[in-house]
Amino acid sequence: MYEDKTLVCKDCGNEFVFTAGEQEFYAEKGLTHEPQRCKACRDARKNAGRAERVMYTGVCATCGGEAKVPFEPKDGRPVYCSDCFAKLNSEE
């Protein structure tokens, strides 16, 4: 039914593949136009208006390692590294 197509990105000029699966997805959603940008350019365009996320460093309350969090750590409130946070969430 659908076959992979090679398209050219209108932003960077690189070739990218519009897969048969992607074409089927577009058809299911009623999208009639092929994509004009490669994944990297689509992502860059989507994120262009967003501000860079500020990350803060703290000490993990469980393992004592470095914890990078998107909020400023406050005294008396525990912060967790990614691994310990994942373990805590999987236990719930």
Side-chain angles (χ1 to χ4, degrees):
M1 214 158 87
Y2 296 104
E3 291 183 20
D4 289 357
K5 290 183 184 180
T6 301
L7 304 175
V8 177
C9 178
K10 78 177 208 175
D11 287 350
C12 68
N14 290 331
E15 291 184 346
F16 66 98
V17 177
F18 185 35
T19 66
E22 290 170 329
Q23 292 174 52
E24 187 174 349
F25 175 80
Y26 271 53
E28 287 174 6
K29 299 297 180 187
L31 303 171
T32 56
H33 299 288
E34 294 179 341
Q36 296 184 0
R37 293 177 180 85
C38 64
K39 173 109 173 84
C41 289
R42 283 195 314 263
D43 289 345
R45 185 176 166 98
K46 184 169 45 171
N47 294 326
R50 293 184 183 170
E52 182 93 13
R53 185 176 224 179
V54 177
M55 297 297 280
Y56 298 89
T57 304
V59 176
C60 177
T62 301
C63 71
E66 182 180 78
K68 292 201 176 267
V69 293
F71 55 88
E72 191 168 4
K74 301 206 188 271
D75 289 337
R77 306 272 331 241
V79 294
Y80 302 98
C81 66
S82 303
D83 293 335
C84 293
F85 186 76
K87 287 177 189 171
L88 285 172
N89 281 340
S90 68
E91 292 172 2
E92 292 177 2

